[in-house]
Amino acid sequence: MDTPGAVIVISSHVVRGSVGNRAAVFALETLGFPVWALPTVVLPWHPGHGPSTRLTFAAEGFDKVIDDLIRARWGAEVKAILTGYFGNERQPKAVARLVRALKERNPDLLYVCDPVMGDLGGLYIPPVTAEAIRDELIPLANIATPNRYELAWLAGGELESNTAIMEAALALGPSRMLVTSAVPMMAGGTGNLYLSGTHALLAEHRLIDNPPNGLGDLFSALFLARLMTGADEERALQLATASVYEILARTAKRGSDELTLETDASSLTTPMAMVHMRRLIHPLQRVRR
């Protein structure tokens, strides 16, 4: 049996909790993928839980680690890169060097950019860091996975409908985009909207109030993992959405303030939750008509 390709995951690390690299690495390793994990910052817990010490890395040191990864003799093992939260504006530029170098050696390498920068309340990283993600990494991405509010910032306008979301995604540039917190079509629901080629898919489930952090980190990792196992895009979207919803529902039932990944690992591998799948009219199909 072939050894699964390794994934480089670059995002934040928390001591307590299941966000950033803690969520993404656990998901990928549970599904059988070797992971090279590089933290961008280290925090005792998610900032939403309250103030804490923030450990950062000198820009020069981070650059040198990227150089090491570019030169690593095991580079052929790497089949994908996943990026999330960045600690400053220089890190995206350094990671862009890594993505370009590894893609030059392996044009089939899959780069998923999760532009972790904001939510309904606006940006929660400095604008200069968000601009670096937009300018340095989004153009390199095979797949981008923003939430609706991050896409709105990237596109420079409000996105109040799925048609607006799709048009903004097409204008931004990556050939494939997966937008979380899309506009639901079912009452009391929420959706994940995926665009690829001229296809538009919406995966919906029931909305759960006051969710813990880390859902986007987990979802991006699961979608990447499913694609790497050979699932088609619709199946990958369905499985990733089902896993996240199932874990979220179980976490909420326990009253936990963090995703209970270690307890619900079976939901990562064999989710049972029902997900409503819809095919939407892609803007390019509308033009052709």
Side-chain angles (χ1 to χ4, degrees):
M1 184 177 295
D2 293 336
T3 302
V7 182
I8 298 178
V9 181
I10 304 173
S11 191
S12 58
H13 176 86
V14 292
V15 177
R16 174 192 182 272
S18 299
V19 302
N21 268 10
R22 288 289 301 275
V25 172
F26 186 89
L28 286 161
E29 290 183 340
T30 298
L31 291 175
F33 292 92
V35 177
W36 301 11
L38 174 61
T40 53
V41 296
V42 177
L43 302 162
W45 47 74
H46 188 277
H49 293 317
S52 65
T53 302
R54 178 185 176 100
L55 301 178
T56 59
F57 301 98
E60 294 78 9
F62 192 87
D63 284 344
K64 289 179 180 179
V65 170
I66 293 296
D67 290 336
D68 290 340
L69 294 178
I70 291 172
R71 295 191 299 262
R73 64 179 182 273
W74 311 280
E77 298 174 3
V78 178
K79 305 302 181 186
I81 298 174
L82 171 63
T83 61
Y85 182 90
F86 287 99
N88 60 59
E89 72 275 12
R90 287 190 55 173
Q91 289 177 344
K93 187 172 183 178
V95 171
R97 290 196 295 108
L98 174 66
V99 174
R100 284 193 294 266
L102 296 191
K103 279 194 169 189
E104 186 174 345
R105 296 177 201 164
N106 176 16
D108 294 328
L109 181 134
L110 185 59
Y111 171 44
V112 177
C113 177
D114 182 12
V116 179
M117 59 177 68
D119 214 321
L120 179 59
L123 290 182
Y124 48 62
I125 64 174
V128 67
T129 304
E131 291 165 3
I133 296 171
R134 178 194 65 198
D135 299 341
E136 299 288 347
L137 295 177
I138 291 293
L140 296 175
N142 299 99
I143 304 173
T145 61
N147 63 42
R148 191 207 320 181
Y149 313 104
E150 289 162 341
L151 178 59
W153 185 88
L154 290 165
E158 296 295 323
L159 304 177
E160 300 299 334
S161 69
N162 284 330
T163 297
I165 290 173
M166 290 188 283
E167 290 173 349
L170 289 174
L172 192 59
S175 60
R176 291 179 280 177
M177 186 171 291
L178 177 49
V179 184
T180 59
S181 300
V183 179
M185 298 181 69
M186 60 184 285
T190 186
N192 299 316
L193 176 57
Y194 181 64
L195 292 176
S196 175
T198 58
H199 301 289
L201 298 169
L202 181 66
E204 293 182 290
H205 60 77
R206 181 171 59 87
L207 181 67
I208 294 178
D209 293 329
N210 302 314
N213 299 108
L215 296 174
D217 307 305
L218 178 64
F219 184 64
S220 296
L222 287 170
F223 185 67
L224 169 60
R226 292 301 183 179
L227 291 178
M228 292 181 70
T229 58
D232 63 50
E233 294 174 324
E234 183 170 356
R235 182 63 172 161
L237 176 62
Q238 181 183 22
L239 287 171
T241 302
S243 288
V244 171
Y245 174 53
E246 192 168 300
I247 289 173
L248 173 58
R250 291 180 174 181
T251 298
K253 187 175 182 180
R254 295 187 184 100
S256 176
D257 63 354
E258 292 285 349
L259 295 174
T260 50
L261 301 182
E262 68 289 340
T263 306
D264 299 319
S266 63
S267 296
L268 299 176
T269 56
T270 53
M272 304 297 291
M274 295 296 294
V275 174
H276 193 94
M277 301 294 293
R278 301 178 190 266
R279 292 187 178 274
L280 306 184
I281 297 177
H282 192 286
L284 293 181
Q285 292 178 325
R286 194 177 296 115
V287 170
R288 289 175 182 177
R289 293 179 181 181

